[in-house]
Amino acid sequence: MKITTLVRRAAIAAACVVSTQTMAGGSLDISLADTTARIGWDATRMDTGLHLNLAALHESSQGDIVSGGVHVVDVRNPNSDLYIGVGANAYGIITDDYDGAAIGVGGFARYNFPFNRNFGVSGHAYYAPPVISFSDVSNFVDADVRVHFNILPTAHLYTGFRMTSVSFEDRSGRYKIGDGLHLGLKLNF
C-alpha cells in the first residue's frame, strides 16, 4: 500500500475517533511563510490530561507533511502560566522523490509572562530515530519556537521559526521542509 493512501486512511480514522470524544475546547492554528502553509488543530479531552492534535504542512517546492499526535498534559492547575505536554506525533512525509513515515517522540510547552499575560513564548520539538522511521525515512526532526501576542482572549498572533528536516535513505544530507520564519494566527474555542 502506498504511504499516501496509508496516511489518508489514518487521518480519516483519527478524525472519526476525535469527533466522538468530549473535548474541552481546542484551537485552530494557521501559519504562513512565502512558500509554506500549515494548518493545525488540537484539543484536550474533558476532565483528563489527554491532548490530541492533527496538522498538515505544505511547502510549494519541497513536499507535504501530515501529522497527528497524542499527548498528556498537566490539568491540575488550569490557571497556570506554564502549559506542558509530552507524547508522540505520527508523521507522513510526501515529496516528489521520497515518501515515508516517522513517529516523533517529544513535547510542547507554552509560557505566558506573569507581568503581561498577553505576551508569551511557545514551542515544540520531536525526534524520530531510525528505529521508528519507515519507508524511505531514516530519521526525522520537527521543532518550532514562537513568540505570541494575545489580540483577544481567544486569539493570538505569533511569529516563529520552524525547523523540520528529514534524512532519507540513499540520500546524503538532510532534506528540509518548510524551514524558516513564519507568521501565524491561533484561534481558541
Side-chain angles (χ1 to χ4, degrees):
M1 177 182 308
K2 196 166 183 193
I3 191 73
T4 54
T5 304
L6 181 64
V7 168
R8 284 186 191 131
R9 288 182 182 173
I12 290 168
C16 291
V17 168
V18 167
S19 66
T20 63
Q21 302 296 318
T22 303
M23 305 306 277
S27 65
L28 181 65
D29 185 337
I30 303 164
S31 68
L32 301 169
D34 286 342
T35 60
T36 306
R38 182 185 180 277
I39 186 165
W41 169 88
D42 66 295
T44 301
R45 186 155 180 242
M46 290 280 289
D47 301 325
T48 72
L50 179 65
H51 182 94
L52 305 172
N53 64 285
L54 298 170
L57 180 138
H58 171 71
E59 209 284 331
S60 60
S61 62
Q62 300 297 321
D64 301 310
I65 299 174
V66 294
S67 65
V70 177
H71 299 78
V72 292
V73 295
D74 185 3
V75 293
R76 293 176 291 181
N77 185 2
N79 297 320
S80 174
D81 291 324
L82 180 63
Y83 185 73
I84 296 174
V86 294
N89 278 342
Y91 294 91
I93 300 106
I94 303 123
T95 69
D96 289 340
D97 300 321
Y98 302 97
D99 293 336
I103 300 172
V105 178
F108 59 85
R110 180 183 68 234
Y111 180 73
N112 290 328
F113 298 117
F115 57 85
N116 186 341
R117 296 208 163 135
N118 287 326
F119 288 97
V121 294
S122 61
H124 70 256
Y126 297 91
Y127 174 66
V131 70
I132 49 178
S133 298
F134 310 100
S135 191
D136 296 330
V137 176
S138 61
N139 68 54
F140 180 78
V141 174
D142 179 25
D144 193 348
V145 176
R146 300 174 177 178
V147 176
H148 57 84
F149 173 72
N150 295 336
I151 55 175
L152 296 170
T154 56
H156 64 258
L157 294 172
Y158 64 84
T159 185
F161 185 83
R162 179 181 299 118
M163 201 272 305
T164 304
S165 70
V166 60
S167 177
F168 289 112
E169 294 177 2
D170 303 327
R171 182 172 196 258
S172 63
R174 298 202 63 82
Y175 191 85
K176 299 183 184 215
I177 303 175
D179 269 16
L181 291 173
H182 57 278
L183 300 173
L185 173 67
K186 190 167 186 178
L187 306 171
N188 299 316
F189 46 90

